[in-house]
Amino acid sequence: QVQLVESGGGSVQAGGSLRLSCAASGHTYNKAFMGWFRQAPGKERQGVARINTIANDILYADSVRGRFTISLDNTKSTLYLQMNSLKPEDTAMYYCATAPGGLWIGLHPTKYSYWGQGTQVTVSS
């Protein structure tokens, strides 16, 4: 089992920044892939960014590349998402999620097994 607790959400004006954190506990195997996802009202959940901790490769959604940065601390216990140049369309509930090792996993939410409760990000224009 993996427990994930997100924090750091809030309200910010367009152009501002926020840093999300996700405290992750549980077996390392179940945290091979660690990512951030978001869901706006009336829309499907979408992948934002993820880290493959085995191969150390990172993926970003096109909509956030160059503005958001995902990172993981050395103990693999906290995942971060630094969000800069925020836009109103970034408004959503942001979730942290993990998936076990094995096959390569991208940004599709259905591939992730463990989810946090989410933290709200609101960007005003």
Side-chain angles (χ1 to χ4, degrees):
Q1 287 287 353
V2 174
Q3 284 75 46
L4 303 169
V5 180
E6 302 98 332
S7 61
S11 297
V12 64
Q13 289 190 329
S17 299
L18 284 173
R19 189 193 196 201
L20 305 183
S21 300
C22 173
S25 62
H27 199 282
T28 298
Y29 174 79
N30 289 322
K31 298 184 291 183
F33 295 86
M34 302 182 73
W36 289 98
F37 299 80
R38 66 186 182 186
Q39 188 167 18
K43 295 187 176 181
E44 292 186 352
R45 190 169 296 186
Q46 62 176 191
V48 174
R50 78 99 176 97
I51 289 178
N52 177 346
T53 65
I54 298 174
N56 199 32
D57 79 274
I58 292 175
L59 292 179
Y60 291 100
D62 290 343
S63 58
V64 307
R65 188 176 294 112
R67 300 187 297 122
F68 291 10
T69 303
I70 189 172
S71 62
L72 182 66
D73 74 355
N74 291 333
T75 64
K76 301 177 67 173
S77 62
T78 304
L79 184 71
Y80 300 99
L81 185 69
Q82 178 66 43
M83 305 185 295
N84 298 328
S85 301
L86 282 161
K87 305 175 181 180
E89 51 263 44
D90 294 318
T91 295
M93 184 71 78
Y94 283 71
Y95 299 90
C96 171
T98 71
L103 296 177
W104 187 90
I105 291 175
L107 285 170
H108 203 287
T110 61
K111 304 298 184 182
Y112 289 74
S113 304
Y114 303 97
W115 291 84
Q117 82 289 349
T119 185
Q120 178 68 37
V121 171
T122 303
V123 184
S124 59
S125 58

PDB file of all heavy atoms in Angstrom, residues 28-53:
ATOM      1  N   THR A  28       8.842   1.020  -1.819  1.00  0.00           N
ATOM      2  CA  THR A  28       9.479   1.689  -2.951  1.00  0.00           C
ATOM      3  C   THR A  28       9.009   1.127  -4.287  1.00  0.00           C
ATOM      4  O   THR A  28       8.838   1.866  -5.269  1.00  0.00           O
ATOM      5  CB  THR A  28      10.998   1.567  -2.845  1.00  0.00           C
ATOM      6  OG1 THR A  28      11.433   2.212  -1.644  1.00  0.00           O
ATOM      7  CG2 THR A  28      11.682   2.211  -4.037  1.00  0.00           C
ATOM      8  N   TYR A  29       8.784  -0.179  -4.338  1.00  0.00           N
ATOM      9  CA  TYR A  29       8.363  -0.802  -5.599  1.00  0.00           C
ATOM     10  C   TYR A  29       7.077  -0.180  -6.122  1.00  0.00           C
ATOM     11  O   TYR A  29       6.908  -0.005  -7.324  1.00  0.00           O
ATOM     12  CB  TYR A  29       8.161  -2.301  -5.402  1.00  0.00           C
ATOM     13  CG  TYR A  29       7.597  -2.978  -6.624  1.00  0.00           C
ATOM     14  CD1 TYR A  29       8.421  -3.291  -7.700  1.00  0.00           C
ATOM     15  CD2 TYR A  29       6.240  -3.291  -6.720  1.00  0.00           C
ATOM     16  CE1 TYR A  29       7.913  -3.895  -8.836  1.00  0.00           C
ATOM     17  CE2 TYR A  29       5.716  -3.896  -7.845  1.00  0.00           C
ATOM     18  CZ  TYR A  29       6.558  -4.198  -8.899  1.00  0.00           C
ATOM     19  OH  TYR A  29       6.051  -4.800 -10.015  1.00  0.00           O
ATOM     20  N   ASN A  30       6.189   0.167  -5.197  1.00  0.00           N
ATOM     21  CA  ASN A  30       4.907   0.746  -5.607  1.00  0.00           C
ATOM     22  C   ASN A  30       4.996   2.226  -5.947  1.00  0.00           C
ATOM     23  O   ASN A  30       3.991   2.848  -6.283  1.00  0.00           O
ATOM     24  CB  ASN A  30       3.860   0.543  -4.501  1.00  0.00           C
ATOM     25  CG  ASN A  30       3.446  -0.910  -4.379  1.00  0.00           C
ATOM     26  OD1 ASN A  30       3.323  -1.606  -5.372  1.00  0.00           O
ATOM     27  ND2 ASN A  30       3.242  -1.361  -3.155  1.00  0.00           N
ATOM     28  N   LYS A  31       6.183   2.782  -5.855  1.00  0.00           N
ATOM     29  CA  LYS A  31       6.401   4.192  -6.177  1.00  0.00           C
ATOM     30  C   LYS A  31       7.413   4.346  -7.306  1.00  0.00           C
ATOM     31  O   LYS A  31       8.106   5.355  -7.382  1.00  0.00           O
ATOM     32  CB  LYS A  31       6.882   4.936  -4.930  1.00  0.00           C
ATOM     33  CG  LYS A  31       5.869   4.929  -3.797  1.00  0.00           C
ATOM     34  CD  LYS A  31       6.337   5.755  -2.613  1.00  0.00           C
ATOM     35  CE  LYS A  31       7.499   5.117  -1.905  1.00  0.00           C
ATOM     36  NZ  LYS A  31       7.921   5.875  -0.700  1.00  0.00           N
ATOM     37  N   ALA A  32       7.487   3.336  -8.167  1.00  0.00           N
ATOM     38  CA  ALA A  32       8.439   3.398  -9.265  1.00  0.00           C
ATOM     39  C   ALA A  32       8.129   4.572 -10.200  1.00  0.00           C
ATOM     40  O   ALA A  32       9.027   5.231 -10.709  1.00  0.00           O
ATOM     41  CB  ALA A  32       8.432   2.088 -10.037  1.00  0.00           C
ATOM     42  N   PHE A  33       6.856   4.791 -10.428  1.00  0.00           N
ATOM     43  CA  PHE A  33       6.408   5.939 -11.213  1.00  0.00           C
ATOM     44  C   PHE A  33       5.628   6.858 -10.288  1.00  0.00           C
ATOM     45  O   PHE A  33       4.714   6.416  -9.599  1.00  0.00           O
ATOM     46  CB  PHE A  33       5.520   5.494 -12.377  1.00  0.00           C
ATOM     47  CG  PHE A  33       6.253   4.654 -13.385  1.00  0.00           C
ATOM     48  CD1 PHE A  33       6.369   3.283 -13.217  1.00  0.00           C
ATOM     49  CD2 PHE A  33       6.825   5.239 -14.497  1.00  0.00           C
ATOM     50  CE1 PHE A  33       7.048   2.511 -14.141  1.00  0.00           C
ATOM     51  CE2 PHE A  33       7.505   4.471 -15.431  1.00  0.00           C
ATOM     52  CZ  PHE A  33       7.620   3.111 -15.247  1.00  0.00           C
ATOM     53  N   MET A  34       5.971   8.110 -10.290  1.00  0.00           N
ATOM     54  CA  MET A  34       5.309   9.086  -9.428  1.00  0.00           C
ATOM     55  C   MET A  34       4.937  10.291 -10.285  1.00  0.00           C
ATOM     56  O   MET A  34       5.797  10.813 -11.013  1.00  0.00           O
ATOM     57  CB  MET A  34       6.227   9.506  -8.284  1.00  0.00           C
ATOM     58  CG  MET A  34       6.685   8.333  -7.425  1.00  0.00           C
ATOM     59  SD  MET A  34       7.728   8.837  -6.039  1.00  0.00           S
ATOM     60  CE  MET A  34       6.503   9.602  -4.960  1.00  0.00           C
ATOM     61  N   GLY A  35       3.674  10.711 -10.171  1.00  0.00           N
ATOM     62  CA  GLY A  35       3.234  11.773 -11.061  1.00  0.00           C
ATOM     63  C   GLY A  35       2.204  12.703 -10.467  1.00  0.00           C
ATOM     64  O   GLY A  35       1.651  12.451  -9.394  1.00  0.00           O
ATOM     65  N   TRP A  36       1.993  13.771 -11.182  1.00  0.00           N
ATOM     66  CA  TRP A  36       0.964  14.756 -10.859  1.00  0.00           C
ATOM     67  C   TRP A  36      -0.097  14.758 -11.960  1.00  0.00           C
ATOM     68  O   TRP A  36       0.244  14.726 -13.150  1.00  0.00           O
ATOM     69  CB  TRP A  36       1.562  16.155 -10.734  1.00  0.00           C
ATOM     70  CG  TRP A  36       2.392  16.339  -9.516  1.00  0.00           C
ATOM     71  CD1 TRP A  36       3.743  16.254  -9.414  1.00  0.00           C
ATOM     72  CD2 TRP A  36       1.912  16.637  -8.195  1.00  0.00           C
ATOM     73  NE1 TRP A  36       4.137  16.470  -8.126  1.00  0.00           N
ATOM     74  CE2 TRP A  36       3.035  16.720  -7.345  1.00  0.00           C
ATOM     75  CE3 TRP A  36       0.645  16.847  -7.646  1.00  0.00           C
ATOM     76  CZ2 TRP A  36       2.930  17.006  -5.982  1.00  0.00           C
ATOM     77  CZ3 TRP A  36       0.536  17.125  -6.305  1.00  0.00           C
ATOM     78  CH2 TRP A  36       1.666  17.208  -5.489  1.00  0.00           C
ATOM     79  N   PHE A  37      -1.334  14.828 -11.524  1.00  0.00           N
ATOM     80  CA  PHE A  37      -2.468  14.849 -12.426  1.00  0.00           C
ATOM     81  C   PHE A  37      -3.400  15.974 -11.991  1.00  0.00           C
ATOM     82  O   PHE A  37      -3.306  16.461 -10.867  1.00  0.00           O
ATOM     83  CB  PHE A  37      -3.199  13.500 -12.378  1.00  0.00           C
ATOM     84  CG  PHE A  37      -2.324  12.364 -12.808  1.00  0.00           C
ATOM     85  CD1 PHE A  37      -1.408  11.806 -11.929  1.00  0.00           C
ATOM     86  CD2 PHE A  37      -2.410  11.851 -14.088  1.00  0.00           C
ATOM     87  CE1 PHE A  37      -0.571  10.769 -12.324  1.00  0.00           C
ATOM     88  CE2 PHE A  37      -1.587  10.815 -14.493  1.00  0.00           C
ATOM     89  CZ  PHE A  37      -0.670  10.287 -13.608  1.00  0.00           C
ATOM     90  N   ARG A  38      -4.287  16.376 -12.881  1.00  0.00           N
ATOM     91  CA  ARG A  38      -5.231  17.412 -12.496  1.00  0.00           C
ATOM     92  C   ARG A  38      -6.582  17.151 -13.146  1.00  0.00           C
ATOM     93  O   ARG A  38      -6.672  16.507 -14.196  1.00  0.00           O
ATOM     94  CB  ARG A  38      -4.709  18.786 -12.881  1.00  0.00           C
ATOM     95  CG  ARG A  38      -4.583  19.039 -14.380  1.00  0.00           C
ATOM     96  CD  ARG A  38      -3.903  20.386 -14.617  1.00  0.00           C
ATOM     97  NE  ARG A  38      -3.784  20.713 -16.041  1.00  0.00           N
ATOM     98  CZ  ARG A  38      -3.133  21.767 -16.499  1.00  0.00           C
ATOM     99  NH1 ARG A  38      -2.520  22.602 -15.652  1.00  0.00           N
ATOM    100  NH2 ARG A  38      -3.082  22.009 -17.799  1.00  0.00           N
ATOM    101  N   GLN A  39      -7.602  17.665 -12.496  1.00  0.00           N
ATOM    102  CA  GLN A  39      -8.950  17.508 -13.024  1.00  0.00           C
ATOM    103  C   GLN A  39      -9.730  18.776 -12.758  1.00  0.00           C
ATOM    104  O   GLN A  39      -9.912  19.167 -11.606  1.00  0.00           O
ATOM    105  CB  GLN A  39      -9.654  16.313 -12.391  1.00  0.00           C
ATOM    106  CG  GLN A  39     -10.990  15.989 -13.029  1.00  0.00           C
ATOM    107  CD  GLN A  39     -11.520  14.633 -12.613  1.00  0.00           C
ATOM    108  OE1 GLN A  39     -11.083  14.051 -11.618  1.00  0.00           O
ATOM    109  NE2 GLN A  39     -12.442  14.095 -13.380  1.00  0.00           N
ATOM    110  N   ALA A  40     -10.165  19.403 -13.832  1.00  0.00           N
ATOM    111  CA  ALA A  40     -11.010  20.586 -13.737  1.00  0.00           C
ATOM    112  C   ALA A  40     -12.467  20.154 -13.759  1.00  0.00           C
ATOM    113  O   ALA A  40     -12.790  19.075 -14.272  1.00  0.00           O
ATOM    114  CB  ALA A  40     -10.711  21.533 -14.891  1.00  0.00           C
ATOM    115  N   PRO A  41     -13.359  20.965 -13.221  1.00  0.00           N
ATOM    116  CA  PRO A  41     -14.782  20.598 -13.211  1.00  0.00           C
ATOM    117  C   PRO A  41     -15.298  20.302 -14.613  1.00  0.00           C
ATOM    118  O   PRO A  41     -15.072  21.070 -15.550  1.00  0.00           O
ATOM    119  CB  PRO A  41     -15.448  21.835 -12.627  1.00  0.00           C
ATOM    120  CG  PRO A  41     -14.395  22.468 -11.794  1.00  0.00           C
ATOM    121  CD  PRO A  41     -13.110  22.230 -12.529  1.00  0.00           C
ATOM    122  N   GLY A  42     -15.960  19.169 -14.747  1.00  0.00           N
ATOM    123  CA  GLY A  42     -16.544  18.797 -16.028  1.00  0.00           C
ATOM    124  C   GLY A  42     -15.568  18.241 -17.037  1.00  0.00           C
ATOM    125  O   GLY A  42     -15.953  17.958 -18.179  1.00  0.00           O
ATOM    126  N   LYS A  43     -14.321  18.065 -16.631  1.00  0.00           N
ATOM    127  CA  LYS A  43     -13.307  17.553 -17.552  1.00  0.00           C
ATOM    128  C   LYS A  43     -12.698  16.271 -17.023  1.00  0.00           C
ATOM    129  O   LYS A  43     -12.780  15.963 -15.834  1.00  0.00           O
ATOM    130  CB  LYS A  43     -12.218  18.604 -17.787  1.00  0.00           C
ATOM    131  CG  LYS A  43     -12.726  19.852 -18.483  1.00  0.00           C
ATOM    132  CD  LYS A  43     -11.573  20.761 -18.844  1.00  0.00           C
ATOM    133  CE  LYS A  43     -12.060  21.971 -19.631  1.00  0.00           C
ATOM    134  NZ  LYS A  43     -10.936  22.872 -20.008  1.00  0.00           N
ATOM    135  N   GLU A  44     -12.071  15.522 -17.928  1.00  0.00           N
ATOM    136  CA  GLU A  44     -11.415  14.297 -17.518  1.00  0.00           C
ATOM    137  C   GLU A  44     -10.103  14.611 -16.796  1.00  0.00           C
ATOM    138  O   GLU A  44      -9.479  15.657 -17.019  1.00  0.00           O
ATOM    139  CB  GLU A  44     -11.124  13.425 -18.745  1.00  0.00           C
ATOM    140  CG  GLU A  44     -12.362  12.874 -19.419  1.00  0.00           C
ATOM    141  CD  GLU A  44     -12.032  11.904 -20.529  1.00  0.00           C
ATOM    142  OE1 GLU A  44     -10.845  11.781 -20.882  1.00  0.00           O
ATOM    143  OE2 GLU A  44     -12.958  11.267 -21.054  1.00  0.00           O
ATOM    144  N   ARG A  45      -9.710  13.677 -15.951  1.00  0.00           N
ATOM    145  CA  ARG A  45      -8.421  13.811 -15.287  1.00  0.00           C
ATOM    146  C   ARG A  45      -7.313  13.654 -16.324  1.00  0.00           C
ATOM    147  O   ARG A  45      -7.365  12.772 -17.178  1.00  0.00           O
ATOM    148  CB  ARG A  45      -8.284  12.756 -14.196  1.00  0.00           C
ATOM    149  CG  ARG A  45      -7.105  12.952 -13.286  1.00  0.00           C
ATOM    150  CD  ARG A  45      -7.178  12.037 -12.079  1.00  0.00           C
ATOM    151  NE  ARG A  45      -8.343  12.357 -11.251  1.00  0.00           N
ATOM    152  CZ  ARG A  45      -8.582  11.790 -10.061  1.00  0.00           C
ATOM    153  NH1 ARG A  45      -7.734  10.911  -9.574  1.00  0.00           N
ATOM    154  NH2 ARG A  45      -9.654  12.109  -9.386  1.00  0.00           N
ATOM    155  N   GLN A  46      -6.300  14.502 -16.230  1.00  0.00           N
ATOM    156  CA  GLN A  46      -5.215  14.465 -17.196  1.00  0.00           C
ATOM    157  C   GLN A  46      -3.868  14.450 -16.495  1.00  0.00           C
ATOM    158  O   GLN A  46      -3.722  14.996 -15.402  1.00  0.00           O
ATOM    159  CB  GLN A  46      -5.292  15.664 -18.157  1.00  0.00           C
ATOM    160  CG  GLN A  46      -5.157  17.001 -17.498  1.00  0.00           C
ATOM    161  CD  GLN A  46      -5.135  18.152 -18.479  1.00  0.00           C
ATOM    162  OE1 GLN A  46      -4.827  19.273 -18.105  1.00  0.00           O
ATOM    163  NE2 GLN A  46      -5.440  17.922 -19.725  1.00  0.00           N
ATOM    164  N   GLY A  47      -2.901  13.844 -17.153  1.00  0.00           N
ATOM    165  CA  GLY A  47      -1.563  13.833 -16.608  1.00  0.00           C
ATOM    166  C   GLY A  47      -0.882  15.159 -16.818  1.00  0.00           C
ATOM    167  O   GLY A  47      -1.031  15.786 -17.866  1.00  0.00           O
ATOM    168  N   VAL A  48      -0.122  15.588 -15.815  1.00  0.00           N
ATOM    169  CA  VAL A  48       0.614  16.848 -15.874  1.00  0.00           C
ATOM    170  C   VAL A  48       2.107  16.577 -16.025  1.00  0.00           C
ATOM    171  O   VAL A  48       2.752  17.108 -16.930  1.00  0.00           O
ATOM    172  CB  VAL A  48       0.352  17.678 -14.602  1.00  0.00           C
ATOM    173  CG1 VAL A  48       1.227  18.924 -14.582  1.00  0.00           C
ATOM    174  CG2 VAL A  48      -1.121  18.042 -14.491  1.00  0.00           C
ATOM    175  N   ALA A  49       2.639  15.735 -15.153  1.00  0.00           N
ATOM    176  CA  ALA A  49       4.059  15.409 -15.198  1.00  0.00           C
ATOM    177  C   ALA A  49       4.291  14.158 -14.388  1.00  0.00           C
ATOM    178  O   ALA A  49       3.544  13.876 -13.442  1.00  0.00           O
ATOM    179  CB  ALA A  49       4.906  16.549 -14.639  1.00  0.00           C
ATOM    180  N   ARG A  50       5.320  13.398 -14.760  1.00  0.00           N
ATOM    181  CA  ARG A  50       5.643  12.233 -13.953  1.00  0.00           C
ATOM    182  C   ARG A  50       7.129  11.919 -14.045  1.00  0.00           C
ATOM    183  O   ARG A  50       7.804  12.248 -15.012  1.00  0.00           O
ATOM    184  CB  ARG A  50       4.776  11.021 -14.348  1.00  0.00           C
ATOM    185  CG  ARG A  50       5.212  10.297 -15.628  1.00  0.00           C
ATOM    186  CD  ARG A  50       6.044   9.036 -15.299  1.00  0.00           C
ATOM    187  NE  ARG A  50       6.374   8.294 -16.505  1.00  0.00           N
ATOM    188  CZ  ARG A  50       7.536   8.410 -17.135  1.00  0.00           C
ATOM    189  NH1 ARG A  50       8.465   9.248 -16.705  1.00  0.00           N
ATOM    190  NH2 ARG A  50       7.772   7.678 -18.210  1.00  0.00           N
ATOM    191  N   ILE A  51       7.611  11.240 -12.987  1.00  0.00           N
ATOM    192  CA  ILE A  51       9.003  10.780 -12.908  1.00  0.00           C
ATOM    193  C   ILE A  51       9.019   9.266 -12.906  1.00  0.00           C
ATOM    194  O   ILE A  51       8.262   8.637 -12.168  1.00  0.00           O
ATOM    195  CB  ILE A  51       9.675  11.297 -11.627  1.00  0.00           C
ATOM    196  CG1 ILE A  51       9.920  12.798 -11.697  1.00  0.00           C
ATOM    197  CG2 ILE A  51      10.991  10.590 -11.387  1.00  0.00           C
ATOM    198  CD1 ILE A  51      10.543  13.373 -10.441  1.00  0.00           C
ATOM    199  N   ASN A  52       9.875   8.695 -13.727  1.00  0.00           N
ATOM    200  CA  ASN A  52      10.191   7.274 -13.674  1.00  0.00           C
ATOM    201  C   ASN A  52      11.429   7.162 -12.795  1.00  0.00           C
ATOM    202  O   ASN A  52      12.529   7.513 -13.225  1.00  0.00           O
ATOM    203  CB  ASN A  52      10.463   6.762 -15.083  1.00  0.00           C
ATOM    204  CG  ASN A  52      10.882   5.304 -15.117  1.00  0.00           C
ATOM    205  OD1 ASN A  52      11.233   4.710 -14.093  1.00  0.00           O
ATOM    206  ND2 ASN A  52      10.863   4.723 -16.290  1.00  0.00           N
ATOM    207  N   THR A  53      11.249   6.709 -11.558  1.00  0.00           N
ATOM    208  CA  THR A  53      12.360   6.712 -10.608  1.00  0.00           C
ATOM    209  C   THR A  53      13.392   5.628 -10.916  1.00  0.00           C
ATOM    210  O   THR A  53      14.497   5.688 -10.396  1.00  0.00           O
ATOM    211  CB  THR A  53      11.849   6.528  -9.178  1.00  0.00           C
ATOM    212  OG1 THR A  53      11.266   5.227  -9.043  1.00  0.00           O
ATOM    213  CG2 THR A  53      10.818   7.584  -8.822  1.00  0.00           C
TER     214      THR A  53
END
